[in-house]
Amino acid sequence: MSLEHHQIKAAFSKAAQQYEQHAVLQKEALERLLERVDFDAFESEQPFSPQTILDLGCGTGWAVEPLLKRFPDSHIIAADFSAQMLNQIKPHEQVECRQTDAHAIDVHAGSIDLLFSNLMLQWCDEQTVFQEIKRAIKPGGLMHLTTMGEHTLHELHHAWSQIDDKPHVNHFVPANELADLALRLGFEDVIADSELITMTYKSVVDVMRDLKNIGAHNTDDKRSRGLTSPRVLKDLTKHYEQFRTEEGLIPATFELVYLRAKKSSQDHGLSLRIKD
């Protein structure tokens, strides 16, 4: 996935003010990810209580309160590369807001018990971020994250493909490839699964507007740079029609991928970069 990093940062920074009112999918993904953390923390054969939690790509800090509720003695580092997103987080004595890039996380090696990340990885170079996460986590520490899978926005991708061959929709890494990458980098007990979530809208314009309002519009460096003309938008709507529901709504499917992995309790070294 070829993405322009500065464009992604600018998009999410611009979306910070209206992010919470539009990010319905992010809220749903957060709840489902927390359920998986709950299982490891309270229901597994080896329950854990993390002292230091890194919420990587925290956005406006939705995860902070539920994480503190579950782990009241923990210290949470709410990390995001957008200062505008971090500015939305309410001050708390156990929460430290830190502006940092997921590709070079500003934390000490082996300092994190739980890495928590909700719908951030899809905007990153996955290998570099996994290496940084592995460096940051303590031996025996856990990573729990969500990201977008390969079937995300397949309706929009199909509709655009009938118009031209330019990359109008971001492409995302399949769940099995993410799991394989985590294993290659030395993570243990890797579990990856996914599910489809369908959002519905009144029009194609509403789909595109919603993506823009959460900073998730197309950022591929080979994308078309011009505005979508009325004629092209009319064609796009026509090709999207085949997906319209019986209720007359436009669906947008998102593949939500969950990845859980553990850093070996014997791993006290730094991760090495793997060359393809």
Side-chain angles (χ1 to χ4, degrees):
M1 179 169 53
S2 180
L3 297 173
E4 293 188 358
H5 195 59
H6 68 283
Q7 290 285 350
I8 297 170
K9 184 175 182 180
F12 279 96
S13 294
K14 186 177 181 180
Q17 293 294 332
Q18 73 267 14
Y19 185 83
E20 293 201 10
Q21 70 183 87
H22 292 282
V24 176
L25 177 67
Q26 283 77 357
K27 290 180 180 179
E28 182 63 29
L30 173 62
E31 292 300 321
R32 299 184 186 201
L33 181 58
L34 286 167
E35 289 176 0
R36 284 161 167 75
V37 173
D38 286 345
F39 180 83
D40 262 333
F42 310 118
E43 300 177 38
S44 68
E45 294 181 358
Q46 295 180 319
F48 79 109
S49 181
Q51 295 301 301
T52 304
I53 302 171
L54 174 60
D55 181 6
L56 188 59
C58 65
T60 56
W62 284 343
V64 168
E65 185 176 340
L67 286 173
L68 281 174
K69 184 177 180 179
R70 287 163 168 78
F71 311 111
D73 297 325
S74 67
H75 172 72
I76 298 178
I77 300 174
D80 202 280
F81 67 175
S82 169
Q84 288 84 351
M85 287 287 186
L86 293 172
N87 288 339
Q88 308 300 312
I89 301 175
K90 295 179 181 179
H92 190 286
E93 62 181 2
Q94 292 170 246
V95 179
E96 175 188 356
C97 292
R98 189 173 300 182
Q99 185 178 7
T100 187
D101 193 317
H103 300 89
I105 307 171
D106 183 21
V107 297
H108 292 297
S111 62
I112 304 300
D113 295 292
L114 171 64
L115 184 288
F116 184 94
S117 183
N118 183 42
L119 293 181
M120 178 214 68
L121 185 66
Q122 66 269 16
W123 309 115
C124 304
D125 176 77
E126 296 85 1
Q127 178 171 303
T128 303
V129 173
F130 278 176
Q131 289 169 335
E132 275 294 281
I133 289 174
K134 187 164 181 279
R135 178 190 65 82
I137 295 177
K138 294 178 181 178
L142 288 175
M143 167 176 70
H144 271 281
L145 62 81
T146 58
T147 186
M148 292 295 183
E150 61 181 321
H151 301 296
T152 295
L153 296 174
H154 71 86
E155 302 96 342
L156 187 59
H157 176 76
H158 175 81
W160 272 118
S161 71
Q162 306 305 302
I163 297 174
D164 59 42
D165 58 359
K166 295 178 181 178
H168 295 277
V169 182
N170 293 324
H171 291 269
F172 304 110
V173 178
N176 65 309
E177 291 186 16
L178 289 175
D180 288 344
L181 176 59
L183 288 168
R184 288 171 56 206
L185 289 171
F187 283 100
E188 297 181 346
D189 300 337
V190 176
I191 301 173
D193 63 295
S194 68
E195 61 182 329
L196 299 179
I197 297 178
T198 301
M199 310 274 291
T200 54
Y201 300 83
K202 292 182 179 180
S203 69
V204 175
V205 173
D206 288 338
V207 175
M208 298 171 70
R209 182 183 294 121
D210 203 33
L211 293 174
K212 184 175 182 179
N213 283 333
I214 61 171
H217 50 290
N218 183 28
T219 51
D220 193 292
D221 58 11
K222 296 180 181 178
R223 71 192 185 279
S224 175
R225 304 302 173 113
L227 296 175
T228 303
S229 70
R231 180 188 62 79
V232 172
L233 188 57
K234 183 178 180 180
D235 288 344
L236 184 65
T237 300
K238 179 183 68 175
H239 293 301
Y240 213 118
E241 276 299 313
Q242 63 179 287
F243 301 106
R244 189 178 292 275
T245 68
E246 294 180 358
E247 293 78 17
L249 298 174
I250 291 292
T253 298
F254 297 86
E255 183 183 9
L256 186 59
V257 174
Y258 306 92
L259 186 69
R260 181 263 196 205
K262 180 181 180 181
K263 181 174 177 178
S264 170
S265 58
Q266 307 301 315
D267 187 347
H268 296 273
L270 298 180
S271 301
L272 298 177
R273 180 175 293 275
I274 296 177
K275 294 184 178 180
D276 295 324

mmCIF file of all heavy atoms in Angstrom, residues 200-201 241-251:
data_model
loop_
_atom_site.group_PDB
_atom_site.id
_atom_site.type_symbol
_atom_site.label_atom_id
_atom_site.label_comp_id
_atom_site.label_asym_id
_atom_site.label_seq_id
_atom_site.Cartn_x
_atom_site.Cartn_y
_atom_site.Cartn_z
ATOM 1 N N THR A 200 -24.918 1.835 6.135
ATOM 2 C CA THR A 200 -25.812 2.232 5.055
ATOM 3 C C THR A 200 -25.965 3.754 5.008
ATOM 4 O O THR A 200 -25.957 4.424 6.047
ATOM 5 C CB THR A 200 -27.199 1.586 5.195
ATOM 6 O OG1 THR A 200 -27.726 1.865 6.499
ATOM 7 C CG2 THR A 200 -27.115 0.083 4.996
ATOM 8 N N TYR A 201 -26.121 4.259 3.801
ATOM 9 C CA TYR A 201 -26.208 5.693 3.552
ATOM 10 C C TYR A 201 -27.325 5.975 2.548
ATOM 11 O O TYR A 201 -27.793 5.070 1.851
ATOM 12 C CB TYR A 201 -24.885 6.210 2.992
ATOM 13 C CG TYR A 201 -23.697 5.989 3.901
ATOM 14 C CD1 TYR A 201 -23.014 4.765 3.919
ATOM 15 C CD2 TYR A 201 -23.249 6.998 4.747
ATOM 16 C CE1 TYR A 201 -21.927 4.562 4.755
ATOM 17 C CE2 TYR A 201 -22.157 6.801 5.588
ATOM 18 C CZ TYR A 201 -21.504 5.581 5.587
ATOM 19 O OH TYR A 201 -20.430 5.373 6.415
ATOM 20 N N GLU A 241 -25.363 1.427 -8.103
ATOM 21 C CA GLU A 241 -26.773 1.081 -7.949
ATOM 22 C C GLU A 241 -27.014 -0.408 -7.696
ATOM 23 O O GLU A 241 -27.959 -0.787 -6.997
ATOM 24 C CB GLU A 241 -27.563 1.520 -9.178
ATOM 25 C CG GLU A 241 -27.997 2.965 -9.150
ATOM 26 C CD GLU A 241 -28.910 3.279 -7.970
ATOM 27 O OE1 GLU A 241 -29.858 2.501 -7.728
ATOM 28 O OE2 GLU A 241 -28.666 4.290 -7.289
ATOM 29 N N GLN A 242 -26.177 -1.270 -8.271
ATOM 30 C CA GLN A 242 -26.395 -2.704 -8.134
ATOM 31 C C GLN A 242 -26.327 -3.166 -6.679
ATOM 32 O O GLN A 242 -26.809 -4.254 -6.349
ATOM 33 C CB GLN A 242 -25.374 -3.477 -8.954
ATOM 34 C CG GLN A 242 -23.939 -3.286 -8.503
ATOM 35 C CD GLN A 242 -22.974 -4.093 -9.345
ATOM 36 O OE1 GLN A 242 -22.910 -5.316 -9.232
ATOM 37 N NE2 GLN A 242 -22.237 -3.408 -10.210
ATOM 38 N N PHE A 243 -25.732 -2.340 -5.808
ATOM 39 C CA PHE A 243 -25.583 -2.713 -4.402
ATOM 40 C C PHE A 243 -26.697 -2.140 -3.522
ATOM 41 O O PHE A 243 -26.754 -2.452 -2.330
ATOM 42 C CB PHE A 243 -24.234 -2.240 -3.870
ATOM 43 C CG PHE A 243 -23.047 -2.798 -4.608
ATOM 44 C CD1 PHE A 243 -22.317 -1.995 -5.478
ATOM 45 C CD2 PHE A 243 -22.682 -4.127 -4.456
ATOM 46 C CE1 PHE A 243 -21.219 -2.514 -6.166
ATOM 47 C CE2 PHE A 243 -21.593 -4.650 -5.138
ATOM 48 C CZ PHE A 243 -20.862 -3.842 -5.999
ATOM 49 N N ARG A 244 -27.553 -1.307 -4.090
ATOM 50 C CA ARG A 244 -28.592 -0.664 -3.294
ATOM 51 C C ARG A 244 -29.475 -1.711 -2.607
ATOM 52 O O ARG A 244 -29.857 -2.713 -3.205
ATOM 53 C CB ARG A 244 -29.436 0.261 -4.153
ATOM 54 C CG ARG A 244 -30.404 1.136 -3.341
ATOM 55 C CD ARG A 244 -31.195 2.076 -4.237
ATOM 56 N NE ARG A 244 -30.350 3.105 -4.830
ATOM 57 C CZ ARG A 244 -30.028 4.246 -4.230
ATOM 58 N NH1 ARG A 244 -30.470 4.496 -2.994
ATOM 59 N NH2 ARG A 244 -29.278 5.149 -4.837
ATOM 60 N N THR A 245 -29.806 -1.492 -1.349
ATOM 61 C CA THR A 245 -30.580 -2.451 -0.565
ATOM 62 C C THR A 245 -32.067 -2.355 -0.895
ATOM 63 O O THR A 245 -32.524 -1.406 -1.538
ATOM 64 C CB THR A 245 -30.389 -2.199 0.938
ATOM 65 O OG1 THR A 245 -31.009 -0.954 1.291
ATOM 66 C CG2 THR A 245 -28.913 -2.154 1.304
ATOM 67 N N GLU A 246 -32.831 -3.329 -0.409
ATOM 68 C CA GLU A 246 -34.274 -3.315 -0.606
ATOM 69 C C GLU A 246 -34.926 -2.113 0.071
ATOM 70 O O GLU A 246 -36.007 -1.672 -0.331
ATOM 71 C CB GLU A 246 -34.888 -4.603 -0.061
ATOM 72 C CG GLU A 246 -34.474 -5.850 -0.826
ATOM 73 C CD GLU A 246 -35.110 -7.101 -0.249
ATOM 74 O OE1 GLU A 246 -35.834 -6.982 0.767
ATOM 75 O OE2 GLU A 246 -34.896 -8.193 -0.818
ATOM 76 N N GLU A 247 -34.250 -1.593 1.072
ATOM 77 C CA GLU A 247 -34.776 -0.414 1.776
ATOM 78 C C GLU A 247 -34.420 0.873 1.050
ATOM 79 O O GLU A 247 -34.751 1.971 1.507
ATOM 80 C CB GLU A 247 -34.228 -0.353 3.207
ATOM 81 C CG GLU A 247 -34.712 -1.473 4.115
ATOM 82 C CD GLU A 247 -33.987 -2.785 3.857
ATOM 83 O OE1 GLU A 247 -32.910 -2.743 3.218
ATOM 84 O OE2 GLU A 247 -34.507 -3.839 4.263
ATOM 85 N N GLY A 248 -33.691 0.743 -0.079
ATOM 86 C CA GLY A 248 -33.332 1.909 -0.866
ATOM 87 C C GLY A 248 -32.082 2.624 -0.399
ATOM 88 O O GLY A 248 -31.830 3.781 -0.767
ATOM 89 N N LEU A 249 -31.278 1.964 0.407
ATOM 90 C CA LEU A 249 -30.067 2.585 0.956
ATOM 91 C C LEU A 249 -28.816 2.083 0.247
ATOM 92 O O LEU A 249 -28.806 1.013 -0.360
ATOM 93 C CB LEU A 249 -29.963 2.300 2.451
ATOM 94 C CG LEU A 249 -31.103 2.861 3.314
ATOM 95 C CD1 LEU A 249 -30.969 2.377 4.748
ATOM 96 C CD2 LEU A 249 -31.118 4.388 3.253
ATOM 97 N N ILE A 250 -27.756 2.892 0.337
ATOM 98 C CA ILE A 250 -26.466 2.550 -0.254
ATOM 99 C C ILE A 250 -25.581 1.908 0.817
ATOM 100 O O ILE A 250 -25.317 2.521 1.857
ATOM 101 C CB ILE A 250 -25.777 3.816 -0.809
ATOM 102 C CG1 ILE A 250 -26.524 4.347 -2.027
ATOM 103 C CG2 ILE A 250 -24.323 3.539 -1.162
ATOM 104 C CD1 ILE A 250 -26.453 3.453 -3.234
ATOM 105 N N PRO A 251 -25.124 0.663 0.606
ATOM 106 C CA PRO A 251 -24.277 0.009 1.608
ATOM 107 C C PRO A 251 -22.787 0.311 1.391
ATOM 108 O O PRO A 251 -22.341 0.532 0.264
ATOM 109 C CB PRO A 251 -24.557 -1.471 1.364
ATOM 110 C CG PRO A 251 -24.778 -1.544 -0.113
ATOM 111 C CD PRO A 251 -25.466 -0.259 -0.507
#
